[in-house]
Amino acid sequence: MPDRDFIDQLSGYSLTTAEIIYRLPDYPAVLQAYIWQEYDQAPRFPRLKQFLDYWAENLDGSLHRIRIAHATLLRPQEVIYAAGRFNIN
């Protein structure tokens, strides 16, 4: 059985990383960082939106800033031929 993440990549999902900056509930002047990473579909990011909705409903730390980065991992790769021969003992 293929890995779920691999199936998601074939379906158009890309690796998405979100840096979530939020305020501590007891000390609102203090910011804390949380890194979230999952395969998601750009540009709508439904899984990230679902996670952020859960955060807003169930966690006390209010969101301050979210920075998103994503990369398609399955894409044509460049092939470079090496000039030389290497022997491994």
Side-chain angles (χ1 to χ4, degrees):
M1 178 92 186
D3 185 39
R4 181 187 71 93
D5 294 335
F6 181 68
I7 298 296
D8 285 348
Q9 289 179 52
L10 292 176
S11 301
Y13 284 76
S14 59
L15 185 62
T16 303
T17 303
E19 177 189 37
I20 301 168
I21 307 294
Y22 64 97
R23 297 186 184 279
L24 292 178
D26 295 336
Y27 304 97
V30 178
L31 297 175
Q32 183 77 21
Y34 179 79
I35 303 297
W36 177 90
Q37 192 170 46
E38 181 68 56
Y39 288 97
D40 208 349
Q41 288 183 322
R44 294 186 179 240
F45 302 108
R47 290 182 180 170
L48 177 59
K49 184 176 178 333
Q50 180 183 11
F51 175 76
L52 293 175
D53 289 343
Y54 174 83
W55 182 299
E57 292 174 10
N58 298 305
L59 300 178
D60 293 332
S62 63
L63 298 174
H64 175 69
R65 180 181 67 213
I66 301 165
R67 188 168 24 183
I68 302 171
H70 70 94
T72 305
L73 298 179
L74 290 179
R75 60 182 176 254
Q77 298 296 317
E78 181 178 331
V79 177
I80 300 173
Y81 293 100
R85 182 174 173 172
F86 302 97
N87 294 326
I88 300 175
N89 294 334

